[in-house]
Amino acid sequence: MLSRRRLLAGLLGLGLSRAQGLRAEEVVGALEVPWALAFLPGGGMLISERPGRIRLFRGGRLSTYAELPVYARGESGLLGLALHPRFPEAPYVYAYRTVEEGGLRNQVVRLRHLGERGVLERVILDGIPARPHGLHSGGRIAFGPDGMLYVTTGEVYERELAQDLASLGGKVLRLTPEGEPAPGNPFLDQKGARPEIYSLGHRNPQGLAWHPVTGELFLSEHGPSGEQGYGHDEVNVVVPGGNYGWPRVVGRGNDPRYRDPLYFWPQGFPPGNLAFFRHGLYVAGLRGEALLRLDLEGERGRWRVAGVETVLSGFGRLREVRVGPEGALYVTTSNRDGRGRVRPGDDRVLRLL
C-alpha cells in the first residue's frame, strides 16, 4: 500500500514544474490555518495557527508550544512569527496577533522560549488598527539583515489610514527587538508622525523578503479584489519613507509622488509570503492557488521581472513560503481559512525538494 507521502506526490505532484526539479512531500498535516513558520536552531519548527496556537514540530512529533488569546475573525487572529536574530542566546519568539480585550486591535508580542514551550513575556507594540470584520490586518513580521523587526499592517478597509502618518495602519513598521522605533527610521523626528513607520500607502501587505545580495526589501500585498479597481495585487521593492500609493493609485500610476510596483497581477493573485530561492523570487498565491517563480533581471534599484513560472499547484491556497535551514523550500496550505476547498489532511506544511 502506498504511503501517505507517496500518495500525495502521485495525486498532486502533477502540479509541480519538472523544469524546476522540485518534488513535494508532506512534513505535517491536520493543521488549522497555518500562517507562518519559524525554524529552530538544532532542529524543529514552530507553526502559528490563526485560531491562536503556536505548534512545535520536532522529531516527527507535533505538540502545542503556546496558546494565545486572539480575536480570530476574517483575516485576523494569530498571524506572523519570528525568532530573535540572536536566538537562542536571546531566547525570544515574536508573534503578531489580534486581541479584543481592552479594545480591538493588533499587536506584536514576545514569548520566552523554554525548550518545549513558549511563555508570553510582554507586548512590544500595541495599538495597530483592527476592526470587527477582521479584514486587512496585514500581519507578517520578520527580522531584517540589520537586526531590526519589520511588521506589515493593513488598513482594515479604511483606505485613508494608509496615507495617515499618525496611524500605524497600511504601513511597514521597523522596530528594535525591544519594540522601540528603530534608529534611522524616516519619520523618527517628524511632528505628528508615528516614529515606527518605515513606508506607507499599503493596502494589505502580507509578505517580506530581503534580496540575498543587495539586502533590498521586497514586499507582497493585496490589491482591491472585490472593490473598485479589481485585482492589481503587487510585489514592491520597499525603500525608507516610500509611499506606495494606496488608495490614490492602483497598480502602476506613473505618478512621481508614489512608487510603482515591481510587478502586479491585473486580474488578481492575492499573495501570501515571498522568498528568495535558487536565484528566483518565489511568491505563494492564495486565490491563485499556486507558487510562482519570478525571474529578476537588473541591479540594485533597477529590477524588472523577466519571466514568471508556476512551480507548484494542485494543493489549493498557499500562504507561507520560506527557505528551511537545510536549503529546501517550505510552503503551507490555507484551505481551512474559510475561502478554500478543504482537502483530506488539510492544512499542511509541504517541503519542496
Side-chain angles (χ1 to χ4, degrees), residues 234 236-239 241-245 251 255-261 301:
E234 298 178 355
N236 286 295
V237 182
V238 178
V239 299
N243 188 333
Y244 291 80
D255 185 326
R257 295 173 297 175
Y258 309 112
R259 298 190 65 88
D260 285 338

Side-chain angles (χ1 to χ4, degrees), residues 63-126:
S63 62
T64 298
Y65 178 81
E67 292 189 77
L68 301 177
V70 300
Y71 178 86
R73 304 284 191 280
E75 299 164 355
S76 297
L78 181 60
L79 307 180
L81 199 63
L83 301 183
H84 193 287
R86 292 188 291 106
F87 188 96
E89 177 188 346
Y92 300 118
V93 177
Y94 297 76
Y96 183 105
R97 68 171 179 174
T98 314
V99 293
E100 187 173 20
E101 186 177 356
L104 190 64
R105 73 262 190 218
N106 292 302
Q107 56 184 207
V108 181
V109 299
R110 191 167 81 176
L111 296 84
R112 179 174 287 273
H113 176 69
L114 299 177
E116 297 296 316
R117 62 190 181 95
V119 176
L120 182 62
E121 184 197 53
R122 67 184 186 90
V123 176
I124 70 161
L125 180 65
D126 212 339

Side-chain angles (χ1 to χ4, degrees), residues 32-64:
E32 189 173 2
V33 197
W35 217 94
L37 304 176
F39 296 96
L40 297 172
M45 173 173 58
L46 296 178
I47 309 164
S48 65
E49 292 181 300
R50 203 167 65 185
R53 291 178 297 273
I54 301 176
R55 310 297 293 276
L56 170 62
F57 183 73
R58 182 155 54 192
R61 177 175 172 267
L62 185 67
S63 62
T64 298

Side-chain angles (χ1 to χ4, degrees), residues 19-314:
Q20 292 297 318
L22 298 175
R23 61 183 177 87
E25 66 175 10
E26 180 180 307
V27 177
V28 58
L31 299 169
E32 189 173 2
V33 197
W35 217 94
L37 304 176
F39 296 96
L40 297 172
M45 173 173 58
L46 296 178
I47 309 164
S48 65
E49 292 181 300
R50 203 167 65 185
R53 291 178 297 273
I54 301 176
R55 310 297 293 276
L56 170 62
F57 183 73
R58 182 155 54 192
R61 177 175 172 267
L62 185 67
S63 62
T64 298
Y65 178 81
E67 292 189 77
L68 301 177
V70 300
Y71 178 86
R73 304 284 191 280
E75 299 164 355
S76 297
L78 181 60
L79 307 180
L81 199 63
L83 301 183
H84 193 287
R86 292 188 291 106
F87 188 96
E89 177 188 346
Y92 300 118
V93 177
Y94 297 76
Y96 183 105
R97 68 171 179 174
T98 314
V99 293
E100 187 173 20
E101 186 177 356
L104 190 64
R105 73 262 190 218
N106 292 302
Q107 56 184 207
V108 181
V109 299
R110 191 167 81 176
L111 296 84
R112 179 174 287 273
H113 176 69
L114 299 177
E116 297 296 316
R117 62 190 181 95
V119 176
L120 182 62
E121 184 197 53
R122 67 184 186 90
V123 176
I124 70 161
L125 180 65
D126 212 339
I128 302 169
R131 297 294 180 265
H133 51 63
L135 301 177
H136 297 189
S137 282
R140 184 68 55 186
I141 61 175
F143 279 95
D146 57 1
M148 298 296 115
L149 181 64
Y150 292 73
V151 180
T152 74
T153 70
E155 37 77 295
V156 296
Y157 258 114
E158 295 181 17
R159 296 179 169 202
E160 293 303 323
L161 290 185
Q163 293 294 326
D164 183 359
L165 287 173
S167 171
L168 295 177
K171 311 293 192 303
V172 175
L173 313 177
R174 180 171 172 264
L175 313 172
T176 70
E178 300 302 314
E180 299 298 322
N185 277 0
F187 303 103
L188 201 59
D189 300 316
Q190 182 170 322
K191 186 178 180 180
R194 291 297 301 255
E196 300 91 347
I197 295 173
Y198 188 71
S199 64
L200 68 150
H202 301 290
R203 182 176 179 268
N204 190 25
Q206 293 200 4
L208 295 169
W210 283 265
H211 192 281
V213 175
T214 70
E216 291 165 284
L217 174 58
F218 287 66
L219 175 139
S220 60
E221 63 179 286
H222 295 191
S225 298
E227 301 178 46
Q228 183 180 2
Y230 177 85
H232 294 85
D233 306 297
E234 298 178 355
V235 173
N236 286 295
V237 182
V238 178
V239 299
N243 188 333
Y244 291 80
W246 180 256
R248 310 280 190 267
V249 173
V250 177
R252 289 197 177 98
N254 298 312
D255 185 326
R257 295 173 297 175
Y258 309 112
R259 298 190 65 88
D260 285 338
L262 169 69
Y263 187 80
F264 71 97
W265 292 265
Q267 302 305 315
F269 182 80
N273 202 14
L274 68 175
F276 284 95
F277 179 69
R278 292 185 181 177
H279 310 293
L281 179 60
Y282 287 73
V283 185
L286 291 162
R287 187 168 59 84
E289 298 192 352
L291 180 68
L292 302 185
R293 182 180 189 267
L294 276 57
D295 290 318
L296 303 181
E297 289 185 350
E299 57 188 11
R300 183 179 182 89
R302 296 175 179 268
W303 298 108
R304 73 179 190 92
V305 176
V308 180
E309 181 180 8
T310 298
V311 297
L312 180 70
S313 61

Side-chain angles (χ1 to χ4, degrees), residues 5-25:
R5 191 169 287 177
R6 290 180 61 195
L7 183 62
L8 276 170
L11 292 177
L12 301 176
L14 294 177
L16 285 167
S17 168
R18 297 300 179 187
Q20 292 297 318
L22 298 175
R23 61 183 177 87
E25 66 175 10

